[in-house]
C-alpha cells in the first residue's frame, strides 16, 4: 500500500481512491461544518454516491495526469487531505488545495503533506508554478501558503461564490526555482 510518513506523530499521506468512499463520507460528516466554512467539499459530498463520484473524478484526473487527491491519516483515521485541483504538465502549472476536520487542525499536517506533493510535482512532473487560492478570511490557509514560502500574487476581488455569497480570494504561488532553493535551506 502507498503511504508516506508525515513525521514522528504517525500521520501518513495516502492515495484517496474511490474504494475509500465510505471512509471519505464519514470523515466529511465529522468535519462538515468546519470544512465548509471556506470550501464547497461538504456541499459536494452528501452521501455515499456523491463521495464515490468525487473520488472517481480525481481518479479520472490522475489517469489523465490533470489532478490528484491524497488523504491524510492520523492514527489510522482519515483526518483531511491535499490535492491538485488541476495540473497542466504541458504548461507547467498546478493548483494545490486542502481540507481538514477540526480534530486535525493546528498540527502542521497540511503543510507537511503539501511539501510532499509539491516536491513530487516539481521534481517528478516538471511543474514550474504551483498556485494556492484561499478565501481572504481563511487565515489558516493563508498561513500555510506563507509556511510553504509562497508569494502573494494578489487578490481576486469577489471571485469566489460560496454558499450564495461572493468572497475575495487571495492568490499565492511558488515557482520551481524558489521551491528548490527553499528546500535546500536548513
Amino acid at each position: 500500500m502507498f503511504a508516506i510518513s508525515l513525521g514522528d506523530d504517525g500521520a501518513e499521506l495516502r492515495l484517496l481512491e474511490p474504494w475509500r468512499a465510505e471512509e471519505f463520507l464519514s470523515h466529511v460528516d465529522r468535519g462538515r461544518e468546519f470544512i465548509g466554512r471556506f470550501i464547497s467539499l461538504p456541499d459536494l459530498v452528501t452521501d455515499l454516491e456523491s463521495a464515490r463520484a468525487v473520488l472517481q473524478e480525481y481518479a479520472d484526473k490522475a489517469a489523465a495526469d490533470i489532478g490528484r487527491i491524497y488523504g491524510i491519516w492520523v492514527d489510522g483515521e482519515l483526518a483531511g487531505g491535499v490535492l491538485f485541483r488541476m495540473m497542466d504538465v504541458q504548461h507547467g502549472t498546478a493548483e494545490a488545495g486542502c481540507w481538514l476536520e477540526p480534530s486535525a487542525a493546528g498540527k502542521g499536517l497540511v503543510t507537511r503533506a503539501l511539501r510532499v506533493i509539491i516536491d513530487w510535482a516539481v521534481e517528478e512532473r516538471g511543474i514550474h508554478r504551483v498556485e494556492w487560492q484561499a478565501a481572504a478570511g481563511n487565515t489558516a490557509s493563508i498561513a500555510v501558503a506563507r509556511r510553504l514560502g509562497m508569494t502573494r500574487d494578489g487578490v481576486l476581488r469577489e471571485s469566489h461564490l460560496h454558499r450564495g455569497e461572493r468572497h475575495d480570494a487571495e492568490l499565492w504561488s511558488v515557482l520551481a526555482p524558489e521551491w528548490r532553493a527553499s528546500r535546500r535551506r536548513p
Side-chain angles (χ1 to χ4, degrees):
M1 176 176 69
F2 165 83
I4 296 174
S5 172
L6 294 176
D8 295 338
D9 58 1
E12 294 182 325
L13 184 68
R14 303 180 199 164
L15 292 172
L16 191 48
E17 300 173 296
W19 65 270
R20 293 190 178 272
E22 192 171 328
E23 183 178 15
F24 182 50
L25 176 60
S26 294
H27 154 66
V28 171
D29 283 342
R30 285 191 304 272
R32 187 167 297 284
E33 186 177 319
F34 182 79
I35 296 167
R37 293 174 308 148
F38 296 106
I39 64 171
S40 61
L41 181 66
D43 300 337
L44 300 173
V45 177
T46 57
D47 56 23
L48 189 56
E49 183 179 331
S50 60
R52 189 173 287 112
V54 167
L55 295 180
Q56 185 62 54
E57 175 187 351
Y58 276 93
D60 294 344
K61 283 183 173 190
D65 202 22
I66 60 171
R68 300 280 189 290
I69 191 168
Y70 305 90
I72 299 170
W73 274 261
V74 177
D75 298 325
E77 186 170 71
L78 182 61
V82 293
L83 53 84
F84 286 117
R85 289 177 25 110
M86 76 79 178
M87 253 178 57
D88 185 337
V89 175
Q90 180 180 355
H91 291 101
T93 59
E95 181 188 342
C98 72
W99 75 94
L100 280 175
E101 62 183 65
S103 65
K107 299 176 182 177
L109 295 168
V110 164
T111 303
R112 289 184 272 158
L114 283 165
R115 282 187 179 125
V116 170
I117 71 169
I118 293 171
D119 273 342
W120 171 82
V122 169
E123 301 303 339
E124 300 293 325
R125 301 303 300 129
I127 296 297
H128 177 74
R129 176 186 169 89
V130 176
E131 294 183 354
W132 181 263
Q133 284 195 35
N138 189 345
T139 56
S141 188
I142 291 167
V144 168
R146 286 188 175 112
R147 282 193 298 276
L148 291 171
M150 292 184 165
T151 298
R152 183 175 181 254
D153 294 329
V155 175
L156 306 170
R157 297 178 311 132
E158 295 188 6
S159 67
H160 181 68
L161 182 63
H162 182 61
R163 296 182 173 173
E165 207 174 309
R166 291 236 162 244
H167 298 270
D168 292 351
E170 291 196 14
L171 179 61
W172 293 74
S173 68
V174 64
L175 305 179
E178 298 165 343
W179 183 256
R180 288 183 184 113
S182 73
R183 301 305 289 152
R184 285 191 292 269
R185 288 186 215 127

